[in-house]
Amino acid sequence: MRHDHLLTAKQLSRADIEAVLARAREFADDPAAHADRHPGALLALCFFEPSTRTKMSFETAAKRLGGDVIDMGAVEDSSVKKGESLADTARVVEGYADGIVLRHPSQGAARMASEFVDVPLVNAGDGAGHHPSQTLLDLYTIDENAGLDDLTIGVMGDLKYGRTVHSLAHALTNFDVRQHFISPESLRLPRSVRYDLHEAGANVREHDDLDAVLPELDVLYVTRIQRERFPDEEEYEKVAGEYRIDAETLGAASDDLAVMHPLPRIDEIDPEIDASPNATYFEQAHNGVPVRMALLDLLLREGGDAE
Amino acid sequence: MTGTDTELRISKIRDGTVIDHVPAGEALHVLAILGIDGSGGEGVSLGMNVPSETMGHKDIVKVEGREMSQAELDVLSLIAPDATVNIVREYEVAEKTEIEPPEQVAGLLSCPNRHCITNAGEPVETRFDVLDEGVRCAYCETIVREEITDHLAV
């Protein structure tokens, strides 16, 4: 991988993705056996929004590679509370760490911050923008369950504001994939993502409901429809209810369908599915560690003592 | 080019800029891009909805005592892609420029996405990539196709 930063999935070529997934497979066999990779490396975790999985898996990955983390902590306890700019925070933290993982509520925050630092910076979510490290673990999970070529995937839920959806859609244009997007009219893909998919010549179709397309899917990627996107509770309940899946829904699906979700879920996937062989979302979450180990390994070596 | 047209473009300007072939109705936006609102004391002449052989009708803007910078010309191409710019010195056309769409415009537009990092009080100038149709924020990737002039930061 020849990049200083990971800001969007758009910057990833097929070769980049395959390099990360191959390295992740090496690490997945025995994550505890690689503490000699980056002894003493320090990763700064700057999360301006709450996170459980992303933050903990980056922390785990850094420690598994022999490194450690420094954590900015909650915004309420930091200089941000005093009005410090992100640009200043980034420049200060750059002096402490060998790499930065940034989550921020503003779209484009990671790109802007990257312009102020020389250490590798990973976008761990910028508002409704991108979340490329999630995409790498999504791709790893898809590859393990269905393969990345000759794939039919359905992506359902909040496609407008869902950053994991935007990054995944971009990355899948590198492969032979038929992408189906299922959402209410008001939550369809934003114009910028449609533009990129069109430019990439992607095979894309949009649907209002899952029924028509479910039988042909290899993967169903479900995302959460957030309450705050709707003017009132009644409208939210009505729409969200149409995009929930349960055991009955899956009756029309292929036996091999992999159901994925970036988590956290609220009630868009019925827990009765959890024990089924279709449920892939916890495996997906666990894959965050080897995939982020691979990402950090490649970025830190690129930025430092290249192999 | 008619004689009247030529006269409108260059007469009575000693030093300054004549912007011709502006789409009819866009002259005031051209002034906005130039940051001219009359308070600077420059002499400004506008021809609006002037008959044009090639465009049907067009606008012409003449500004005395001011030569446009490249950045100003760049963003002008977004609202007046066929405009021609004449820099006039001592009553003569010293430079004649056809506007080329730039790859990017910096600092001249504000992003309409209120969640964009460029609207968060950070020390960063806006940058927009120029597409075949419209422009795209280099930070949040929002595409603006309609009413670009609504987003002038000048």
Side-chain angles (χ1 to χ4, degrees), chain A:
Chain A
M1 201 157 81
R2 306 292 313 175
H3 303 290
D4 296 329
H5 311 293
L6 180 59
L7 305 177
T8 79
K10 244 190 301 183
Q11 74 187 78
L12 296 172
S13 67
R14 182 174 179 131
D16 289 332
I17 293 165
E18 287 174 342
V20 173
L21 301 196
R23 186 65 56 91
R25 275 190 287 274
E26 293 171 30
F27 291 150
D29 289 340
D30 187 0
H34 303 280
D36 59 341
R37 297 292 290 184
H38 295 278
L42 268 182
L43 188 67
L45 304 177
C46 299
F47 281 69
F48 292 74
E49 278 186 333
S51 166
T52 306
R53 280 156 300 282
T54 302
K55 191 168 164 180
M56 289 184 73
S57 64
F58 266 114
E59 180 165 357
T60 307
K63 289 178 174 175
R64 291 290 197 202
L65 291 169
D68 207 341
V69 297
I70 50 173
D71 186 344
M72 184 185 86
V75 165
E76 291 69 28
D77 306 326
S78 73
S79 292
V80 177
K81 188 76 176 169
K82 300 174 189 167
E84 185 176 59
S85 68
L86 173 60
D88 280 2
T89 303
R91 280 179 285 200
V92 169
V93 172
E94 175 191 25
Y96 301 159
D98 303 301
I100 298 173
V101 180
L102 174 70
R103 172 170 292 184
H104 196 277
S106 294
Q107 278 172 261
R111 181 169 300 281
M112 188 213 70
S114 75
E115 293 172 356
F116 289 90
V117 301
D118 289 325
V119 299
L121 184 143
V122 176
N123 180 9
D126 60 335
H130 299 278
H131 192 357
S133 72
Q134 174 73 40
T135 292
L136 288 168
L137 74 90
D138 292 342
L139 295 173
Y140 184 90
T141 308
I142 294 169
D143 196 32
E144 294 280 299
N145 285 277
L148 279 165
D149 282 311
D150 192 20
L151 172 77
T152 303
I153 186 171
V155 183
M156 184 170 83
D158 183 350
L159 312 181
K160 186 174 184 180
Y161 300 100
R163 57 194 174 201
T164 65
V165 171
H166 306 160
S167 289
L168 182 61
H170 281 125
L172 287 174
T173 63
N174 287 294
F175 300 90
D176 176 17
V177 177
R178 292 167 294 281
Q179 300 195 55
H180 294 274
F181 293 97
I182 305 120
S183 74
E185 175 82 30
S186 62
L187 294 178
R188 289 197 170 167
L189 290 172
R191 179 192 263 179
S192 62
V193 177
R194 290 159 176 271
Y195 177 85
D196 287 326
L197 294 179
H198 178 74
E199 289 286 297
N203 186 339
V204 171
R205 286 175 62 194
E206 294 181 296
H207 311 268
D208 292 330
D209 69 85
L210 179 63
D211 297 346
V213 72
L214 180 61
E216 59 188 278
L217 299 182
D218 301 309
V219 172
L220 175 60
Y221 191 100
V222 184
T223 65
R224 184 162 50 102
I225 293 180
Q226 295 180 53
R227 204 167 292 258
E228 57 266 32
R229 305 298 180 206
F230 291 87
D232 59 59
E233 184 73 19
E234 193 181 348
E235 178 71 10
Y236 163 74
E237 286 296 340
K238 179 169 164 279
V239 171
E242 292 172 19
Y243 297 90
R244 287 189 187 119
I245 64 164
D246 54 23
E248 189 184 338
T249 318
L250 293 190
S254 153
D255 290 345
D256 298 329
L257 176 74
V259 178
M260 297 174 61
H261 192 302
L263 304 181
R265 69 172 156 175
I266 306 300
D267 54 7
E268 55 275 12
I269 298 179
D270 192 316
E272 70 182 352
I273 292 177
D274 294 356
S276 82
N278 305 105
T280 314
Y281 28 92
F282 293 116
E283 172 193 334
Q284 182 185 357
H286 296 160
N287 288 337
V289 171
V291 170
R292 289 185 167 116
M293 285 174 73
L295 174 63
L296 292 176
D297 186 47
L298 292 163
L299 280 176
L300 291 173
R301 276 172 194 272
E302 203 65 52
D305 54 337
E307 286 176 300

